Amino acid sequence: MRIKLFASSLCIAALLLVAPPVLHAQPTDAQLQSQAQRALGAKRFSDVQVSAHNGTVVLSGTVNNFAEKFEAGNKVKKKDKSATIENQIQVNTPEVPNEKLLKKLREEINNSRIGYGTTAFNAISVSVKGWGVVALSGFAYGPVDASTAFNIAANTKGVTAVNNNIHV
C-alpha cells in the first residue's frame, strides 16, 4: 500500500514538473479601453479620449499642461503594466516665445530649492526648442531636486513637452 501511495505521489509530482505553465490571457482591446477610461476618470481628463487597437492603448484629446499629459500616460500604464501606451494627447497652452519661456524656467528652477542646502550641488541646464519643447539635462543633488525641476517645467504655461535627462 505504501509503495502504491509513493508511486502515485511520484507520478503526480513528475506531471507537475513537466506540465506547461498556465498562461495568463492578455486583456482584450475592450478591456484595455475600459481600464484606461476608469484610470482617467478625473475631471481634468474629461477631454481625453481612449481607444485600444491590437493591445495598444491610444490616448488623444487635450489637456491644460504637459504635467497632465504625462500623468494620463502614467495612470493608464499603472492599470496594466503590459499594455503599450501611445500618448497622442495635445497640450492646450498658449504659445510663449522661447526666450521668455527659457528665462522663466531657468529662474524658477534655479530658485526652487534655495534654503534646502542642495542648490549649490545642482547643475541643471534648460533649453527650449520648437514650440515649447523643453530639454532638461545635467546633474541634480538628489531625486527631489530632479523631480522639482521636471515638475516646474511640466506645469509651466507654454510648455508642450519635456525631455528630462537630469542625472542624480
Side-chain angles (χ1 to χ4, degrees):
M1 181 71 176
R2 283 186 170 168
I3 292 175
K4 284 184 181 179
L5 182 61
F6 177 73
S8 63
S9 296
L10 193 58
C11 287
I12 291 173
L15 285 174
L16 289 174
L17 289 174
V18 177
V22 177
L23 297 176
H24 294 286
Q26 292 293 327
T28 66
D29 286 344
Q31 289 170 325
L32 286 172
Q33 183 172 345
S34 177
Q35 288 174 347
Q37 286 169 331
R38 280 195 307 274
L40 300 178
K43 185 177 179 183
R44 66 183 173 280
F45 300 122
S46 62
D47 292 332
V48 173
Q49 291 80 46
V50 178
S51 62
H53 308 285
N54 299 323
T56 298
V57 177
V58 180
L59 305 177
S60 58
T62 59
V63 291
N64 293 321
N65 57 44
F66 180 75
E68 290 177 359
K69 175 180 179 173
F70 187 76
E71 182 184 0
N74 284 345
K75 281 182 168 290
V76 172
K77 188 68 175 173
K78 191 175 183 179
K79 279 288 184 191
D80 187 346
K81 292 176 179 48
S82 66
T84 301
I85 311 299
E86 192 175 308
N87 193 338
Q88 298 177 356
I89 297 172
Q90 299 296 310
V91 179
N92 187 17
T93 186
E95 189 168 347
V96 177
N98 286 352
E99 302 80 31
K100 185 177 179 181
L101 190 56
L102 180 62
K103 182 180 179 188
K104 179 178 182 167
L105 287 170
R106 280 183 177 160
E107 185 177 302
E108 286 190 30
I109 289 170
N110 287 336
N111 294 330
S112 66
R113 301 291 297 157
I114 289 178
Y116 291 95
T118 60
T119 308
F121 302 104
N122 290 329
I124 299 172
S125 297
V126 182
S127 63
V128 180
K129 298 207 169 63
W131 178 47
V133 179
V134 175
L136 301 174
S137 60
F139 297 90
Y141 175 77
V144 172
D145 297 278
S147 65
T148 298
F150 174 80
N151 288 331
I152 288 170
N155 285 290
T156 299
K157 290 285 184 197
V159 173
T160 58
V162 179
N163 298 318
N164 188 3
N165 293 308
I166 298 173
H167 300 281
V168 177

